[in-house]
C-alpha cells in the first residue's frame, strides 16, 4: 500500500468527488480513478460509493480514512524530524493534553525555546488521558500532559510540582455559592455535569460516596467552556478543575473547591525508548529547565 495512494484516497474523501480531488492533486481523473480501483482490489474491499453527485465512503472506507490520516501525519512528522539540523533546529512538536492550567508550563517552555529556535512549530491536541495515551502509543504525538490518575508505567515522565484542585462551577446566585467549600452530600440531589474522563474516575466517585447510578448526571462534556454555558443558564453544576474558567470581576459564575480536598496530579509523559527528534529533544530539555525553576 503506497503512501501516495493513501493521500489520493484522502483527497477524494475530503472533496467527496474524484473530479475535484483530481483538480486539487493536479492530475487527470482517469489515472486517479485507476489508482483507487487498484487500492480497492489490493484490500479486497469496496471503499467508495460512486454516486451521480458525490462520492461517499463505505464503512471500510471510513476505517481506512482514519488509519490513512494517522499514517500520513506520521510520515509528515518523520520527514520534518529528518530535515532538522543541530545548528538550526526546526520541525514540528505534537502535544496532547487535557484541560488544565498545567498547559501554561508547555506554553512557557515553547516561548523560551522560540527565542533560540524560531523554526520549531507546535501542534496541540485536546483530549482526556485515554485519548492522549492512544495518540502517544501510535506515535502521533511526542508528549502528553496527563491529569489525574493514569497508568504511566509504560512511559518516561516528569511529575509537575503543582496539582489541580477539583471543585464545583455554579452560578454566583446559587445558594451553594455562599459556602466556602462543597461536600459530597451537597451534590447528591443536584443536576450534575461531569467530564467524560470524570465519568470513569473511581477516585471522584469514591469522594462522592455514592453509586453513579444514583446520581443525577444530566450531561457530560469534553470542553469546560461549553459546559460553563449550560451552568450560566442554570442547567446544572459542573464538577471541574480549578482555574479553567474566569470567575472574577463581573462573572455570574463562581468556583468552590471540594471538601475534603481532592486534587489531581499532573504528568508530562513520552514513550519509553523513543528516539526523540532534535526539536522534541530540545523542547524536553527546555521543559526540564522550566521545572528546575520550581525547586
Amino acid at each position: 500500500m503506497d503512501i501516495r495512494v493513501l493521500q489520493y484516497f484522502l483527497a477524494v474523501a475530503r472533496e467527496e468527488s474524484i473530479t475535484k480531488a483530481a483538480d486539487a492533486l493536479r492530475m487527470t481523473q482517469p489515472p486517479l480513478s485507476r489508482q483507487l480501483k487498484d487500492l480497492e482490489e489490493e484490500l479486497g474491499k469496496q471503499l467508495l460509493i460512486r454516486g451521480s453527485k458525490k462520492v461517499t465512503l463505505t464503512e471500510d472506507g471510513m476505517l481506512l480514512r482514519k488509519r490513512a490520516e494517522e499514517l500520513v501525519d506520521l510520515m509528515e512528522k518523520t520527514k520534518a524530524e529528518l530535515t532538522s539540523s543541530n545548528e538550526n533546529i526546526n520541525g514540528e512538536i505534537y502535544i496532547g493534553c487535557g484541560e488544565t492550567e498545567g498547559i501554561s508550563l508547555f506554553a512557557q517552555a515553547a516561548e523560551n525555546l522560540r527565542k533560540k529556535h524560531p523554526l520549531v512549530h507546535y501542534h496541540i491536541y485536546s483530549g482526556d488521558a485515554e485519548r492522549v495515551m492512544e495518540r502517544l502509543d501510535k506515535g502521533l504525538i511526542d508528549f502528553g500532559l496527563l491529569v489525574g490518575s493514569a497508568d504511566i508505567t509504560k512511559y518516561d515522565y516528569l511529575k509537575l510540582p503543582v496539582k489541580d484542585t477539583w471543585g464545583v462551577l455554579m452560578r454566583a446566585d446559587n445558594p451553594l455559592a455562599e459556602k466556602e467549600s462543597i461536600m459530597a452530600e451537597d451534590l447528591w440531589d443536584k443536576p450534575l455535569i461531569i467530564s467524560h474522563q470524570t465519568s470513569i474516575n473511581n477516585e471522584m466517585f469514591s469522594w462522592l460516596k455514592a453509586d453513579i447510578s444514583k446520581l443525577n448526571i444530566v450531561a457530560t462534556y469534553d470542553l469546560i467552556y461549553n459546559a460553563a454555558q449550560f451552568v450560566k443558564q442554570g442547567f446544572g453544576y459542573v464538577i471541574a478543575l480549578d482555574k479553567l474558567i474566569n470567575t472574577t470581576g463581573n462573572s455570574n459564575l463562581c468556583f468552590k473547591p471540594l471538601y475534603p480536598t481532592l486534587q489531581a496530579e499532573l504528568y508530562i509523559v513520552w514513550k519509553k525508548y523513543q528516539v526523540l527528534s532534535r526539536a522534541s529533544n530540545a523542547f524536553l530539555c527546555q521543559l526540564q529547565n522550566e521545572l528546575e525553576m520550581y525547586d
Side-chain angles (χ1 to χ4, degrees), residues 200-214:
I200 55 173
N201 188 328
N202 292 329
E203 188 178 16
M204 173 59 70
F205 287 106
S206 175
W207 180 90
L208 283 165
K209 296 180 281 189
D211 187 330
I212 186 173
S213 64
K214 296 180 181 179

Side-chain angles (χ1 to χ4, degrees), residues 4-247:
R4 177 174 48 86
V5 177
L6 290 180
Q7 291 174 316
Y8 293 168
F9 169 75
L10 288 175
V12 173
R14 182 173 59 251
E15 300 292 341
E16 297 184 337
S17 165
I18 294 177
T19 301
K20 291 180 181 177
D23 290 340
L25 294 167
R26 297 186 179 180
M27 62 189 299
T28 58
Q29 182 178 341
L32 177 57
S33 295
R34 186 167 59 252
Q35 294 272 14
L36 295 171
K37 265 296 185 189
D38 290 344
L39 178 62
E40 289 180 316
E41 291 176 4
E42 178 185 355
L43 297 175
K45 300 286 186 179
Q46 181 182 357
L47 304 172
L48 304 170
I49 300 174
R50 297 160 175 82
S52 58
K53 293 186 178 180
K54 71 174 184 177
V55 173
T56 56
L57 299 179
T58 64
E59 186 174 340
D60 290 317
M62 287 186 283
L63 174 60
L64 180 61
R65 179 178 188 172
K66 180 182 178 183
R67 299 300 183 221
E69 286 173 342
E70 293 173 352
L71 288 169
V72 170
D73 284 347
L74 188 56
M75 182 197 69
E76 294 298 332
K77 181 171 175 289
T78 303
K79 283 170 59 179
E81 291 171 357
L82 292 174
T83 56
S84 177
S85 67
N86 288 325
E87 295 76 20
N88 190 19
I89 295 177
N90 64 75
E92 315 294 315
I93 295 176
Y94 295 79
I95 297 168
C97 60
E99 284 192 293
T100 168
E101 194 192 27
I103 191 63
S104 62
L105 177 67
F106 278 78
Q108 181 178 330
E111 171 58 17
N112 290 333
L113 187 63
R114 184 167 65 100
K115 297 171 184 176
K116 296 177 284 187
H117 304 294
L119 298 180
V120 175
H121 299 94
Y122 301 85
H123 304 274
I124 302 170
Y125 297 90
S126 297
D128 59 24
E130 183 178 353
R131 294 176 189 176
V132 169
M133 290 189 290
E134 180 184 1
R135 295 189 72 88
L136 197 60
D137 293 342
K138 291 179 178 179
L140 298 175
I141 58 176
D142 301 298
F143 302 101
L145 178 55
L146 304 183
V147 182
S149 58
D151 182 10
I152 60 173
T153 56
K154 61 181 178 179
Y155 303 111
D156 285 325
Y157 65 88
L158 295 171
K159 184 178 179 180
L160 271 61
V162 294
K163 297 179 181 179
D164 282 345
T165 300
W166 285 100
V168 179
L169 184 70
M170 67 188 85
R171 286 174 58 111
D173 59 1
N174 191 290
L176 283 184
E178 298 178 6
K179 302 189 64 170
E180 290 297 319
S181 57
I182 304 300
M183 301 178 69
E185 50 266 36
D186 294 328
L187 302 176
W188 287 345
D189 62 342
K190 301 296 188 295
L192 302 179
I193 304 171
I194 64 174
S195 74
H196 288 127
Q197 187 167 356
T198 305
S199 67
I200 55 173
N201 188 328
N202 292 329
E203 188 178 16
M204 173 59 70
F205 287 106
S206 175
W207 180 90
L208 283 165
K209 296 180 281 189
D211 187 330
I212 186 173
S213 64
K214 296 180 181 179
L215 295 171
N216 184 20
I217 298 175
V218 295
T220 59
Y221 69 91
D222 283 323
L223 298 175
I224 184 62
Y225 175 83
N226 293 337
Q229 307 313 305
F230 280 72
V231 177
K232 288 180 180 179
Q233 299 303 319
F235 186 75
Y237 300 72
V238 171
I239 297 178
L241 296 171
D242 61 344
K243 301 176 184 177
L244 296 179
I245 294 293
N246 183 10
T247 58

